[in-house]
């Protein structure tokens, strides 16, 4: 259901005391990405600083994204939280707003046991909207193992996983265990997108695609056409960019890079702070290679 290149949208803020939402800037960024040919967009994920948004802001960002996408591409809205009741609120709001699906990070901090994790995702899937599990142990402190993903994949509304464990062996196991289900394994790491696609993954939820969507689309298309040499060439051309997006915590580098490229970005909200001078200089050097 969710295949191809899906930028994990940044959330632009205004440079004022309240660091209010820059909704016009958000619309501009989305319009640019849709025109470039992305296969979908993801608002309110980690890259969108969802943890700093109020309930009202979170829902507003999702609503504006759906409106700007205008049915041209699917919207996979981030609706995760560290507790099930909040995740249910976000998920129901996204469904009511017309989202095509929801991306749900595993509950961070709590470290739920297996049965709790299964019940958490089942409750959200029972809202009757497609659910993509988001596994990112580096942020949550807990890995969602292949056997749990395989069990969740049997639910008709749990349609995929964004895999950001960094463990290619684990990702291969998930693809193997879910091959008989209508289920997509999606890369959550730009640098691993090519190997994940080669293993049978269906796409990427991408940070770098905010900045350069067309090469990411071309790499995906090359794999679909069996042209792995072209895909490798693109991968290695942009691998420096991929790495640079994590020289500080995401989304610090991508927001600074977006600003340097003239996109709507603005400041970050605490506890994230502006990119350091060293990071800014490095990003300028990296971006100059793609002018």
């Amino acid at each position: 259901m969710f295949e191809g290149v899906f930028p994990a949208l940044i959330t632009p803020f205004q440079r004022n005391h309240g660091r209010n939402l820059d909704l016009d800037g958000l619309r501009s960024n989305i319009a640019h990405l849709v025109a470039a040919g992305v296969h979908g967009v993801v608002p309110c994920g980690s890259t969108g600083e969802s943890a700093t948004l109020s309930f009202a802001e979170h829902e507003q960002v999702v609503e504006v994204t759906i409106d700007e996408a205008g049915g041209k591409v699917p919207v996979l809205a981030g609706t995760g939280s560290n507790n099930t009741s909040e995740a249910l609120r976000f998920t129901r709001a996204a469904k009511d707003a017309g989202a095509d699906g929801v991306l749900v990070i595993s509950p961070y901090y709590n470290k739920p046991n297996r049965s709790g994790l299964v019940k958490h995702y089942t409750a959200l899937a029972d809202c009757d909207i497609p659910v993509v599990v988001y596994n990112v142990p580096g942020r949550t402190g807990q890995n969602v193992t292949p056997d749990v993903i395989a069990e969740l994949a049997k639910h008709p509304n749990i349609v995929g996983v964004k895999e950001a464990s960094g463990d290619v062996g684990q990702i291969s196991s998930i693809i193997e265990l879910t091959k008989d289900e209508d289920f997509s394994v999606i890369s959550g790491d730009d640098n691993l997108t090519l190997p994940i696609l080669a293993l049978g993954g269906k796409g990427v939820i991408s940070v770098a695609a905010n900045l350069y969507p067309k090469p990411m689309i071309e790499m995906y298309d090359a794999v679909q056409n069996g042209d792995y040499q072209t895909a490798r060439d693109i991968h290695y051309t942009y691998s420096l960019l991929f790495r640079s997006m994590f020289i500080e915590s995401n989304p610090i580098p991508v927001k600074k890079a977006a600003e340097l490229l003239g996109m709507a970005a603005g400041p970050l909200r605490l506890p994230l702070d502006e990119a350091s001078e060293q990071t800014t200089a490095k990003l300028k050097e990296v971006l100059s290679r793609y002018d």
Side-chain angles (χ1 to χ4, degrees):
M1 177 176 288
F2 298 106
E3 301 182 3
V5 176
F6 282 62
L9 299 175
I10 60 175
T11 301
F13 298 128
Q14 300 175 44
R15 288 197 176 275
N16 56 20
H17 178 72
R19 301 192 176 186
N20 303 111
L21 295 175
D22 176 7
L23 295 176
D24 289 339
L26 176 63
R27 286 184 180 275
S28 175
N29 290 349
I30 294 168
H32 166 70
L33 292 168
V34 171
V38 299
H39 302 95
V41 290
V42 181
C44 295
S46 304
T47 308
E49 296 176 80
S50 59
T52 72
L53 301 178
S54 68
F55 285 120
E57 288 175 328
H58 190 289
E59 292 167 8
Q60 191 173 21
V61 168
V62 171
E63 289 167 0
V64 167
T65 301
I66 292 167
D67 182 66
E68 187 61 38
K72 296 175 184 176
V73 297
V75 174
L76 182 64
T79 62
S81 175
N82 68 330
N83 70 83
T84 306
S85 62
E86 283 188 6
L88 282 168
R89 171 178 172 163
F90 287 138
T91 298
R92 289 166 179 153
K95 179 184 176 182
D96 291 345
D100 298 279
V102 293
L103 176 68
V104 182
I105 194 168
S106 60
Y108 42 90
Y109 185 77
N110 298 305
K111 292 189 176 181
N113 57 6
R114 180 193 174 98
S115 61
L117 197 58
V118 170
K119 288 177 180 178
H120 173 80
Y121 279 109
T122 300
L124 299 172
D126 286 346
C127 291
D128 198 25
I129 186 170
V131 173
V132 175
V133 177
Y134 179 16
N135 183 37
V136 56
R139 286 188 179 269
T140 65
Q142 183 177 36
N143 184 39
V144 184
T145 55
D147 61 306
V148 174
I149 295 295
E151 181 176 347
L152 293 172
K154 297 184 182 303
H155 193 295
N157 290 331
I158 299 180
V159 299
V161 59
K162 175 186 175 183
E163 243 296 337
S165 67
D167 184 339
V168 175
Q170 170 167 298
I171 294 164
S172 175
S173 293
I174 293 170
I175 294 170
E176 181 180 2
L177 290 170
T178 61
K179 66 181 184 298
D180 295 328
E181 306 290 345
D182 185 11
F183 191 82
S184 297
V185 177
I186 304 165
S187 172
D189 182 343
D190 287 307
N191 210 38
L192 290 180
T193 297
L194 178 55
I196 290 171
L197 290 175
L199 287 168
K202 299 298 179 64
V204 59
I205 295 176
S206 170
V207 175
N210 282 285
L211 309 174
Y212 297 103
K214 288 187 178 180
M216 299 301 295
I217 296 165
E218 290 167 358
M219 183 172 71
Y220 171 80
D221 287 344
V223 173
Q224 301 314 301
N225 294 327
D227 184 358
Y228 282 91
Q229 184 58 58
T230 295
R232 280 193 296 270
D233 289 345
I234 296 169
H235 168 83
Y236 285 117
T237 297
Y238 286 89
S239 59
L240 179 62
L241 175 72
F242 300 159
R243 292 192 296 272
S244 74
M245 291 298 95
F246 294 91
I247 54 178
E248 289 194 49
S249 296
N250 179 47
I252 295 172
V254 70
K255 288 197 87 170
K256 176 55 67 175
E259 187 174 59
L260 292 171
L261 292 174
M263 297 173 61
L268 296 106
R269 285 181 173 175
L270 291 173
L272 297 181
D273 198 8
E274 296 288 317
S276 69
E277 291 183 5
Q278 295 90 336
T279 292
T280 301
K282 178 64 176 178
L283 290 170
K284 287 180 178 177
E285 176 192 346
V286 171
L287 295 176
S288 71
R289 302 187 180 207
Y290 304 106
D291 290 341

